[in-house]
Amino acid sequence: GAQIEDGYLNLKHDLKRLCCGYFFAEVIDKIGFEYQRDDNLWNFLAATLDELNNSDSGTKELMDRKQVEFLDILGYALNLSRCVACDKGGSVGLVAYSIESKGGICRDCFLDGRRGIAVGSGNLVTGSVMGGIFEALTERRLNSLSLMKTMLK
């Protein structure tokens, strides 16, 4: 029979952290190919579950960091230094994120009609932006996103 190597007992008692683990498991389930081994994805998931189970850091901060790390593993680099529409960089403030163009949009381009998820705080790595990126990657609705939105308020 099968034996459990790690039961993640701490994770089972923290609904916020369990919800974060569910998010990564759902994304991997939707983007992974059946019967094809991908050690990078499985190692990331195992390390993430271990960190969620054992870490004392805040759940939201941990989730933000792990989502960016996951995108790096998938080869999806966030373009947050220049406007993807006009290529202005540096001091120009990015006020929105374009899922289609995979990068930030400056105020001028956003007001000129470029579509994107507006970010009031100036921080483009927010729940709505990251959720949109992951749903675009999976090309499906992620059930875990609405649960995470509720849990990580």
Side-chain angles (χ1 to χ4, degrees):
Q3 291 183 330
I4 296 174
E5 284 186 30
D6 189 342
Y8 300 108
L9 295 177
N10 296 332
L11 190 60
K12 291 178 182 178
H13 297 290
D14 187 333
L15 191 54
K16 287 181 181 182
R17 289 179 181 262
L18 189 61
C19 174
C20 294
Y22 169 52
F23 167 78
F24 289 111
E26 182 181 20
V27 172
I28 288 172
D29 178 57
K30 292 189 186 225
I31 65 171
F33 295 105
E34 288 189 42
Y35 307 110
Q36 264 193 318
R37 183 179 173 144
D38 191 327
D39 290 336
N40 288 335
L41 290 181
W42 290 112
N43 291 338
F44 170 80
L45 183 59
T48 299
L49 292 175
D50 283 338
E51 194 168 349
L52 286 166
N53 189 54
N54 299 316
S55 176
D56 291 332
S57 64
T59 306
K60 182 164 179 7
E61 295 77 22
L62 178 63
M63 184 65 180
D64 290 346
R65 184 171 47 79
K66 295 305 272 187
Q67 283 181 322
V68 171
E69 182 182 333
F70 192 37
L71 289 173
D72 286 342
I73 289 169
L74 295 173
Y76 190 97
L78 297 175
N79 180 4
L80 303 178
S81 61
R82 307 188 77 70
C83 176
V84 293
C86 68
D87 203 34
K88 288 181 188 169
S91 62
V92 72
L94 301 176
V95 298
Y97 187 85
S98 169
I99 300 295
E100 295 84 14
S101 301
K102 300 176 179 75
I105 300 173
C106 72
R107 183 178 187 275
D108 292 339
C109 291
F110 188 66
L111 293 176
D112 281 344
R114 294 284 180 169
R115 289 181 29 183
I117 300 169
V119 181
S121 66
N123 178 10
L124 294 181
V125 185
T126 64
S128 59
V129 170
M130 295 304 272
I133 291 170
F134 280 102
E135 284 191 336
L137 282 172
T138 61
E139 297 179 350
R140 298 181 185 135
R141 180 161 165 55
L142 296 171
N143 298 319
S144 57
L145 285 177
S146 57
L147 179 60
M148 264 193 348
K149 184 178 179 181
T150 302
M151 294 303 301
L152 296 180
K153 280 186 179 179

